[in-house]
Amino acid sequence: MIFRQLFDSVSGTYSYLLASRHGGEALILDPVLEKVDRYCQLLRELDLKLVKAVDTHLHADHVTGLAELRDRTHCVTIMGDQSKADVVAMRVSDGDKVTIEGVELDVMYTPGHTDDSYSYLMGDRVFTGDTLLIRGTGRTDFQNGSARAQYDSLFNRLLKLPDETMVFPAHDYKGDTVSTIGEEKRYNPRLQVKSVEDYIELMGKLNLPNPKLMDVVIPANMKVGLKPDALKKQGLALSPREAIAHLGDPAILLVDLRESGERAKHGVLAGALHAPYPSISDSLKPGGMLREVATATKRRIVFFCAFGERSAMAVTAAKEAGIDNAAHLDGGIDAWKKAGGPVLAA
């Protein structure tokens, strides 16, 4: 197991790099834009391949590194269902799992700091974002924050974890790096309240100044989606209505890039071949499954995913592999459903 806690001193942000050794797949939590060069250097030094990048919530004090990491590494970007970010490759909800080879994170919806705040539990440790800090809790006075919701997230979710569970927050301003659930129960001053009303009163009296760059950072973090306009201009993007019209067309090979959990949750398209995005490069190489099927059948590959980000990257990968006429479903299965396209249970 590879575990690295990385720090941005300007914003007081902790980012976490996780990997297992076998195939070198890696995941990063809460990356900071200004540190992307360092992350990429570390990935090279440890011989890792970044496959997923996760933000615990829409940050207000630093610009996220999600988009830059996606552009450099072709990783899958992940945020919660409630996020106001324009496009991420995958959205998760409470009870979902985020997995890479050898690593599994249980998704916990823990709103209060913001309405899109999530925590991620991995065995003996929990990554709490800004919901639970070391000897503190995240402020609740903007981005649809709610002290009442945070009280519930803390006392009815996070503090129900075993006392020995290690707590790794997204921020610290005092130099602390890790705590435990048991420590926070005993020594966190904000957790010594007697009731939800006491907590609401406590949080309402903080009167904290807004983060210095909030008015710049939040809009920037809401616009991290991959811009597929170039594919449209090249005729390599199908609108949902065009794709619906081609459903069942023997000249088209629909390829579903989503993970099995997404397919079970949101349904599948009739006749689509399942080829999860992380293995797309191997599938497109000579001898690879997709390349062989497309060559043997002379069918045009049309990729789709949840929102169109992975599929746009897959079209680029196909072009790099010498397959020039691959296309993708603009807006993914989300747009397909909104246009009235038929969906089957997985």
Side-chain angles (χ1 to χ4, degrees):
M1 181 68 195
I2 295 172
F3 175 80
R4 295 289 186 274
Q5 184 181 43
L6 306 163
F7 187 59
D8 173 51
S9 59
V10 176
S11 61
T13 301
Y14 285 124
S15 304
Y16 300 93
L17 181 69
L18 312 174
S20 69
R21 183 63 274 162
H22 306 296
E25 290 190 353
L27 175 151
I28 194 167
L29 283 157
D30 288 327
V32 176
L33 177 61
E34 287 80 7
K35 296 296 181 180
V36 167
D37 285 342
R38 173 59 183 141
Y39 306 147
C40 290
Q41 178 186 354
L42 185 59
L43 289 164
R44 290 191 298 270
E45 291 170 351
L46 299 179
D47 191 26
L48 298 175
K49 176 186 177 183
L50 188 69
V51 295
K52 291 181 178 175
V54 183
D55 264 351
T56 54
H57 62 288
L58 192 73
H59 295 282
D61 50 9
H62 69 267
V63 177
T64 178
L66 287 193
E68 185 68 16
L69 283 170
R70 177 205 59 222
D71 294 345
R72 292 202 198 185
T73 69
H74 307 299
C75 66
V76 173
T77 56
I78 300 175
M79 291 189 75
D81 275 337
Q82 296 79 6
S83 174
K84 305 300 189 298
D86 55 351
V87 177
V88 288
M90 186 185 300
R91 292 183 185 268
V92 294
S93 57
D94 189 73
D96 287 347
K97 295 182 183 296
V98 174
T99 61
I100 59 172
E101 183 187 33
V103 176
E104 182 175 275
L105 302 177
D106 292 312
V107 180
M108 301 175 67
Y109 182 40
T110 51
H113 170 60
T114 64
D115 61 352
D116 69 339
S117 289
Y118 279 77
S119 298
Y120 293 85
L121 177 65
M122 185 182 74
D124 64 353
R125 64 200 65 192
V126 62
F127 304 96
T128 55
D130 285 11
T131 301
L132 176 59
L133 305 176
I134 298 175
R135 308 301 191 264
T137 57
R139 62 191 297 172
T140 59
D141 56 339
F142 57 76
Q143 286 185 263
N144 296 317
S146 164
R148 183 177 297 277
Q150 189 172 64
Y151 180 92
D152 183 65
S153 296
L154 291 166
F155 286 88
N156 295 321
R157 298 298 305 276
L158 292 172
L159 298 183
K160 298 287 189 183
L161 296 173
D163 281 0
E164 61 271 20
T165 305
M166 289 182 284
V167 173
F168 288 98
H171 288 284
D172 190 84
Y173 307 100
K174 306 177 299 297
D176 294 323
T177 58
V178 61
S179 181
T180 67
I181 291 295
E183 277 185 50
E184 294 310 306
K185 284 181 181 177
R186 291 190 295 272
Y187 305 122
N188 190 321
R190 294 190 188 172
L191 302 182
Q192 308 312 309
V193 294
K194 298 281 194 281
S195 67
V196 62
E197 286 76 18
D198 288 349
Y199 188 75
I200 292 170
E201 182 181 4
L202 183 155
M203 298 303 288
K205 291 179 178 179
L206 293 180
N207 294 320
L208 298 171
N210 283 341
K212 293 178 181 178
L213 300 177
M214 185 175 79
D215 291 342
V216 175
V217 167
I218 290 178
N221 287 342
M222 291 172 65
K223 297 186 180 299
V224 296
L226 185 67
K227 306 301 185 287
D229 295 345
L231 295 180
K232 292 181 183 179
K233 293 177 181 176
Q234 296 171 52
L236 301 180
L238 272 65
S239 71
R241 295 197 178 281
E242 289 173 322
I244 291 168
H246 282 288
L247 188 62
D249 186 339
I252 296 293
L253 175 63
L254 286 173
V255 176
D256 188 348
L257 301 173
R258 296 172 301 155
E259 298 182 3
S260 296
E262 295 176 276
R263 287 159 53 85
K265 186 175 179 180
H266 299 291
V268 299
L269 303 189
L273 184 69
H274 185 210
Y277 173 76
S279 62
I280 195 66
S281 294
D282 289 337
S283 293
L284 293 168
K285 291 177 181 176
M289 180 265 294
L290 274 182
R291 191 184 190 96
E292 292 301 305
V293 169
T295 301
T297 63
K298 308 300 182 186
R299 299 168 76 183
R300 185 188 194 191
I301 297 174
V302 175
F303 297 107
F304 71 92
C305 58
F307 303 102
E309 187 163 288
R310 281 169 282 181
S311 58
M313 291 190 288
V315 172
T316 300
K319 291 181 69 176
E320 292 172 352
I323 302 173
D324 293 326
N325 70 335
H328 86 121
L329 170 58
D330 191 27
I333 199 167
D334 179 65
W336 171 279
K337 286 182 175 180
K338 289 174 180 175
V343 176
L344 306 176

